[in-house]
Amino acid sequence: MISKAKIKYLNALHQKKHRHKEYLFIAEGPKIVAEVLQQQKFQIKHLYASKLWIDKNTSIYNKYYSLTTLIGANELKKISSLKNPKEVLAVLEMPNKPQNLPEETDIALALENIQDPGNMGTIIRIADWFGIKTIFCSEGCVDIYNSKVIQASMGSFLRVAVHHGQLVDFFDAQKTIPVYGAVLGGDNLFKSTLKTPAIILIGNEGKGLSEAMQERINHRITIPKNGAAESLNAAVATAIICASFRQ
Amino acid sequence: MISKAKIKYLNALHQKKHRHKEYLFIAEGPKIVAEVLQQQKFQIKHLYASKLWIDKNTSIYNKYYSLTTLIGANELKKISSLKNPKEVLAVLEMPNKPQNLPEETDIALALENIQDPGNMGTIIRIADWFGIKTIFCSEGCVDIYNSKVIQASMGSFLRVAVHHGQLVDFFDAQKTIPVYGAVLGGDNLFKSTLKTPAIILIGNEGKGLSEAMQERINHRITIPKNGAAESLNAAVATAIICASFRQ
């Protein structure tokens, strides 16, 4: 049983400003919550769980029972951001992340104004697949603690460090790693010499990279087109470029 | 001004069974409608347009005025499937498509049970980018005339022929073109010899390819993983494989 005030408080966490005021965010569903609990990278603030989930996860429940509230399906619906809420919802603390690239970086992604949560989650998942551990996001990007981003990343947000900030500051802080920018009319990606360490810079879904960001590019690259589509989805372009680097 | 009965009729077209009963589907927004009108691959059954759209497109309106109804923003909202309806909505006739591969095919896609409309639309867009003109979909795939598929394809549905049917029949009808199937534990995609003509076979988002489809594969291919993500999004996997073929 949870109070109306608590339902209101939890729903506020579906909004960016409240998340960042409270330094908390929400992850939902048994699969993602199981990964969160296993990896222990995020502090658990609270779990809201159905009887079904508790019955299936007794050892976890025994460990976290003081942080767990048993709730019914109707209550879960009231606090969930999903159309079909799934058994369990975790409230997690946002980590404090260093704003620098780790020294052993081979590839990092820099994203300018990626606004679609599905795209952002998919890009995090692509990074995780290709062993890319760091993503820098401009302030115009969708909040990575948005529940749709968390869901679309399929647990990969646990393994990839995603930073938000001014991309200009990020590029100023590191000047030794070459920047490969995805642009129209650049060099053919498939014929380019791709060397690591590298930063792959991807622009907004509709507008591409801003002029300020284009100035930071060392290698202008383009995915060659055989057909007629005007553009590729930002996550798809990211995937093709990452694959070319790993090949 | 449109009647209640007409609103009900148009809303029914947002459902698969009514679309396929009437052989009609809906495309929305000025950009997609402009492409439809320009390409003339689909017969226009009717246009529902705002005053703004008509004022901006007088020559088109003069050509299609007998098929156009002027409607207000509130009416457009009632017949649209979009959260934010955009100026114009077209009712189009479904084409009759031949169920065979064109003779000059270099690459075709075969999709088994791709269920997410966003993924399907993105795959059509990827095909269009890489000059792939034919996609065969199993009967378990999302309807390609679903409005979310149409929107996600960004106009590429105009240039790529997408067929629905039994994939088994499709493979039985053509036995000369090698089938490259995306599986776990196959040959490293980046080290494989990829030759055209080819059929690229992609499975369901969660389950991958069924056993029946796996039996049809001539070349089992896998995108090598450097990191920890469990899987890649089906559209992302399609993009990486298509890019490898084109490179």
Side-chain angles (χ1 to χ4, degrees):
Chain A
M1 203 30 215
I2 48 176
S3 67
K4 277 190 183 171
K6 184 60 85 178
I7 290 172
K8 197 175 163 191
Y9 175 79
L10 291 167
N11 273 307
L13 294 180
H14 295 313
Q15 294 165 42
K16 181 177 177 179
K17 71 172 179 183
H18 289 285
R19 280 195 295 274
H20 287 267
K21 196 178 132 206
E22 303 286 332
Y23 288 98
L24 295 174
F25 69 104
I26 285 173
E28 298 194 52
K31 200 164 170 189
I32 288 180
V33 170
E35 283 201 69
V36 168
L37 292 169
Q38 196 200 325
Q39 296 228 1
Q40 306 196 317
K41 278 197 188 166
F42 295 90
Q43 285 288 327
I44 311 288
K45 187 80 177 177
H46 209 87
L47 295 172
Y48 295 90
S50 68
K51 186 161 182 313
L52 177 68
W53 185 85
I54 290 173
D55 287 348
K56 284 193 291 190
N57 297 276
T58 44
S59 65
I60 295 173
Y61 176 66
N62 288 338
K63 190 170 166 194
Y64 291 100
Y65 76 95
S66 65
L67 299 176
T68 305
T69 301
L70 168 68
I71 57 171
N74 278 337
E75 285 178 313
L76 185 56
K77 207 157 196 168
K78 283 182 192 161
I79 59 173
S80 171
S81 68
L82 303 177
K83 268 192 192 168
N84 301 303
K86 290 176 191 142
E87 299 180 25
V88 62
L89 180 154
V91 180
L92 307 172
E93 291 183 17
M94 288 183 187
N96 281 318
K97 288 180 208 155
Q99 285 293 325
N100 297 318
L101 274 182
E103 265 187 32
E104 75 283 15
T105 295
D106 68 336
I107 300 178
L109 300 182
L111 307 177
E112 187 182 32
N113 302 347
I114 296 292
Q115 290 175 335
D116 180 80
N119 274 344
M120 179 62 86
T122 303
I123 290 174
I124 297 171
R125 194 170 158 200
I126 291 163
D128 187 25
W129 180 274
F130 286 115
I132 296 169
K133 296 195 170 59
T134 316
I135 300 178
F136 275 80
C137 294
S138 74
E139 291 187 332
C141 284
V142 58
D143 183 27
I144 57 145
Y145 296 108
N146 177 308
S147 65
K148 286 183 191 156
V149 175
I150 298 288
Q151 297 303 126
S153 92
M154 302 281 278
S156 289
F157 75 98
L158 292 165
R159 290 177 292 268
V160 179
V162 186
H163 309 277
H164 268 266
Q166 295 279 3
L167 280 187
V168 179
D169 296 344
F170 163 62
F171 283 120
D172 282 344
Q174 79 73 29
K175 291 188 167 163
T176 55
I177 303 182
V179 178
Y180 292 76
V183 295
L184 294 173
D187 296 333
N188 182 332
L189 170 71
F190 300 150
K191 292 180 177 164
S192 298
T193 309
L194 305 172
K195 281 186 194 161
T196 58
I199 294 167
I200 300 170
L201 175 58
I202 304 285
N204 171 268
E205 289 94 343
K207 295 177 193 160
L209 286 166
S210 68
E211 276 189 34
M213 280 304 111
Q214 296 222 19
E215 283 173 15
R216 303 299 179 118
I217 298 176
N218 303 107
H219 303 278
R220 296 168 55 84
I221 49 174
T222 298
I223 300 166
K225 169 161 85 169
N226 312 82
E230 229 176 68
S231 63
L232 284 169
N233 169 302
V236 163
T238 306
I240 293 170
I241 296 171
C242 291
S244 291
F245 266 92
R246 286 299 188 217
Q247 143 170 11
Chain B
M1 201 34 210
I2 47 177
S3 68
K4 276 191 183 171
K6 185 58 89 179
I7 290 172
K8 198 176 163 190
Y9 175 80
L10 291 167
N11 272 306
L13 294 181
H14 296 311
Q15 293 165 42
K16 181 177 177 178
K17 70 171 180 185
H18 290 285
R19 281 194 296 272
H20 288 267
K21 196 177 132 208
E22 304 285 334
Y23 289 98
L24 295 174
F25 70 104
I26 285 173
E28 299 195 51
K31 201 167 170 186
I32 288 179
V33 170
E35 282 199 68
V36 168
L37 292 168
Q38 196 200 325
Q39 297 228 359
Q40 307 196 316
K41 279 198 189 167
F42 295 91
Q43 287 288 328
I44 310 288
K45 186 80 177 176
H46 209 88
L47 294 172
Y48 295 91
S50 67
K51 185 159 182 316
L52 176 68
W53 185 84
I54 291 173
D55 288 346
K56 283 193 293 190
N57 297 276
T58 44
S59 65
I60 297 174
Y61 176 67
N62 288 338
K63 189 169 168 196
Y64 291 101
Y65 77 94
S66 65
L67 300 175
T68 304
T69 301
L70 169 68
I71 58 170
N74 278 338
E75 284 178 312
L76 186 55
K77 207 155 197 168
K78 282 181 193 162
I79 60 174
S80 170
S81 70
L82 303 178
K83 267 193 194 169
N84 302 304
K86 288 175 193 146
E87 300 179 25
V88 61
L89 179 153
V91 180
L92 307 171
E93 289 183 19
M94 287 182 189
N96 282 319
K97 288 179 208 155
Q99 286 290 324
N100 297 319
L101 272 182
E103 265 187 32
E104 74 286 11
T105 295
D106 68 338
I107 299 178
L109 301 183
L111 308 178
E112 186 182 34
N113 303 345
I114 296 292
Q115 290 176 334
D116 180 81
N119 273 344
M120 179 62 87
T122 303
I123 290 173
I124 296 171
R125 193 171 159 200
I126 292 163
D128 188 26
W129 180 274
F130 286 115
I132 295 168
K133 297 196 167 57
T134 316
I135 300 177
F136 275 81
C137 295
S138 73
E139 291 188 330
C141 284
V142 59
D143 182 27
I144 58 144
Y145 296 108
N146 177 308
S147 64
K148 284 181 193 159
V149 176
I150 299 288
Q151 298 302 126
S153 92
M154 303 281 279
S156 289
F157 74 98
L158 293 164
R159 292 177 292 266
V160 179
V162 186
H163 309 277
H164 268 265
Q166 296 278 2
L167 280 187
V168 179
D169 296 343
F170 163 62
F171 284 119
D172 282 345
Q174 79 73 30
K175 290 187 167 165
T176 55
I177 303 182
V179 178
Y180 292 76
V183 296
L184 294 173
D187 296 333
N188 182 333
L189 170 71
F190 301 149
K191 292 179 178 164
S192 298
T193 308
L194 306 173
K195 282 186 193 159
T196 59
I199 294 166
I200 299 170
L201 175 58
I202 304 285
N204 170 267
E205 290 94 342
K207 295 176 192 159
L209 288 165
S210 69
E211 275 188 35
M213 282 303 111
Q214 295 221 18
E215 283 172 15
R216 303 299 178 119
I217 298 176
N218 303 108
H219 303 278
R220 297 168 54 84
I221 49 174
T222 298
I223 300 166
K225 170 161 85 170
N226 312 82
E230 229 176 67
S231 63
L232 283 169
N233 169 303
V236 163
T238 305
I240 292 171
I241 296 170
C242 291
S244 290
F245 266 92
R246 285 300 187 218
Q247 130 177 22

